[in-house]
Amino acid sequence: MTNDRSRTGPAGSRSRVVRRQVAMVFDLNKCLGCHTCAIACKTLWTRDEGMEHMWWATVNTQPGKGTPRDWEKMGGGFRDGEPLPGRLPTLSEFGEAWEFNYEEVFYGGKGNRVHLRPQGNPSWGPNWDEDQGGGRYPNCFYFYLPRICNHCTHPACLEACPRKAIYKREEDGIVLIDESRCRGYRFCMEACPYKKIYFNHVRKISQKCIFCFPRVEKGVAPACARQCPGRMRFVGYLDDPEGPIYKLVRQWKVALPLHPEFGTEPNVFYVPPISPPRFDAEGNIDESKPRIPTEYLRYLFGPGVDAALETLRAEMAKTKAGGKSELMDLLIVYDWKELFGPFRRDPAEIEPRKA
Ligand code: SF4
Ligand code: SF4
């Protein structure tokens, strides 16, 4: 894998000043929880030895403990511009890579009397609490939260690295690790409040999402976005007024960063989930309070969530009444190419590099 700074700037350059910033918007109202994004990423980038437990693109059920387990309580990030202490997630908190009884099932001659079972006694996995959710019957709720590295404007991982192995590309703001400089100290893992850096125990280096930069450089959207059947991942530049990112983040202000209080200024933004109606004690529909508690959404996406939900509901009401809404058209995505701003090229058009 090329996760290499030689193509991007002078060694040791840690400038956070970027000419442009690529970003993604995830519309949580459209995520199916299918994990196609996670598999697309795994297949492309994390199949080598030492990467078994790595899922650079994860999808967790909210409310839940996530990946790694209870990552939101592990610290890191900044307060008032000052770094906060963080701790290293353990391999078991990530969920390790489970082994199954393949031999017995496929070659043991026992027919359908045996089934695939995890070996050992795993106590966590990337999707351990999938579809559990929260709330009390009949007002239970859940939604999916896909996550990647946020390619932050103020990356805590970069500031924490004494080897100057982490850098932010000037041309597009992608945050990368120079594997040739990394010595595996893991200060970046402690510092990242999103816990989106993984340790390769075989190569003794840190690794993370690279925003599919070799694809992006060729005008192709990252694999997680391109493969998403929910069409919920928008990609583009933050400063492109014609692109979906600018429109959702800056113009309509319906896409918000996850945990903005972590202080790293993430460049992945979320359209918050709109609740179904609640039921009252008699089982009647109660529209007075949303099923997903707004406090919980504020906890995740900050105080801007109230205004974002209000805008979304107002624009939905327009279309329900038979009117037109530019925002709803943008979010529906009638043509998949509208998702990707300038990154619409078909990867099949690109000639493979000769060995
Ligand atoms: S999410 Fe974490 S790893 Fe990614 S740029 Fe931000 S601080 Fe660094
Ligand atoms: S591929 Fe898309 S719809 Fe499926 S889990 Fe990932 S983000 Fe959600």
Side-chain angles (χ1 to χ4, degrees):
M1 183 202 321
T2 315
N3 190 356
D4 150 15
R5 70 187 311 150
S6 58
R7 308 158 60 166
T8 58
S13 159
R14 311 184 85 199
S15 169
R16 283 194 271 109
V17 180
V18 296
R19 275 182 273 132
R20 298 196 89 182
Q21 178 65 57
V22 286
M24 286 203 204
V25 168
F26 296 168
D27 181 356
L28 297 186
N29 295 291
K30 294 172 76 181
C31 181
L32 317 165
C34 64
H35 300 273
T36 309
C37 49
I39 298 299
C41 177
K42 185 86 189 149
T43 310
L44 197 51
W45 298 120
T46 63
R47 286 190 302 167
D48 290 345
E49 220 187 331
M51 303 177 100
E52 294 82 356
H53 68 294
M54 292 189 199
W55 294 91
W56 292 352
T58 47
V59 184
N60 285 123
T61 299
Q62 300 298 129
K65 291 177 186 293
T67 310
R69 186 179 60 222
D70 285 324
W71 64 272
E72 288 156 300
K73 299 176 188 151
M74 290 182 184
F78 303 95
R79 186 179 301 136
D80 302 326
E82 292 301 318
L84 292 171
R87 78 159 173 90
L88 278 182
T90 63
L91 197 53
S92 66
E93 285 168 328
F94 276 113
E96 303 176 32
W98 296 10
E99 294 294 335
F100 287 84
N101 51 334
Y102 295 117
E103 283 292 323
E104 185 186 21
V105 171
F106 295 125
Y107 310 110
K110 296 178 183 167
N112 61 9
R113 282 172 288 124
V114 291
H115 305 284
L116 281 177
R117 302 244 178 256
Q119 302 301 282
N121 194 17
S123 58
W124 195 250
N127 299 103
W128 186 272
D129 53 5
E130 174 123 334
D131 290 357
Q132 286 185 17
R136 289 174 70 94
Y137 180 83
N139 289 308
C140 310
F141 68 92
Y142 69 74
F143 57 92
Y144 300 111
L145 185 76
R147 296 200 303 122
I148 59 172
C149 160
N150 294 294
H151 298 275
C152 304
T153 296
H154 192 186
C157 57
L158 181 152
E159 294 222 351
C161 178
R163 288 281 307 161
K164 298 187 177 17
I166 304 186
Y167 62 108
K168 189 164 172 68
R169 302 206 312 180
E170 197 188 329
E171 63 268 41
D172 52 21
I174 294 175
V175 175
L176 294 178
I177 300 173
D178 179 346
E179 295 181 350
S180 68
R181 291 189 69 82
C182 178
R183 293 289 179 273
Y185 300 156
R186 286 172 272 181
F187 293 121
C188 55
M189 291 178 72
E190 289 176 358
C192 171
Y194 297 94
K195 300 301 168 222
K196 267 298 171 191
I197 297 190
Y198 295 78
F199 187 62
N200 185 319
H201 293 265
V202 174
R203 296 183 59 205
K204 311 281 185 230
I205 53 168
S206 298
Q207 295 180 304
K208 68 167 205 62
C209 160
I210 58 172
F211 208 92
C212 285
F213 76 86
R215 292 167 66 106
V216 165
E217 287 174 359
K218 302 264 186 213
V220 177
C224 60
R226 178 89 194 194
Q227 299 299 321
C228 171
R231 294 186 178 184
M232 66 80 82
R233 291 175 177 242
F234 296 82
V235 187
Y237 289 105
L238 252 180
D239 66 352
D240 173 8
E242 300 307 316
I245 304 293
Y246 179 92
K247 287 182 183 170
L248 293 167
V249 176
R250 301 267 189 260
Q251 181 186 332
W252 286 98
K253 297 184 171 48
V254 292
L256 308 162
L258 178 63
H259 286 301
E261 76 281 8
F262 287 170
T264 62
E265 297 175 44
N267 288 304
V268 174
F269 300 87
Y270 293 85
V271 178
I274 298 170
S275 286
R278 287 175 63 86
F279 294 104
D280 67 16
E282 279 75 50
N284 301 311
I285 290 175
D286 170 12
E287 304 263 12
S288 66
K289 275 199 218 143
R291 175 96 63 99
I292 304 175
T294 311
E295 311 82 69
Y296 181 60
L297 296 179
R298 280 188 212 119
Y299 162 72
L300 289 177
F301 305 114
V305 84
D306 295 73
L309 288 170
E310 205 174 302
T311 303
L312 289 165
R313 289 203 190 94
E315 293 299 310
M316 273 175 71
K318 267 194 213 166
T319 55
K320 273 189 191 164
K324 278 289 282 175
S325 162
E326 189 201 325
L327 175 60
M328 287 300 121
D329 285 350
L330 181 62
L331 289 171
I332 287 167
V333 187
Y334 290 103
D335 178 348
W336 66 268
K337 292 193 176 95
E338 294 163 13
L339 283 167
F340 298 144
F343 305 111
R344 301 173 172 202
R345 195 167 172 202
D346 184 342
E349 283 174 14
I350 297 169
E351 210 177 316
R353 209 165 28 178
K354 297 202 172 52

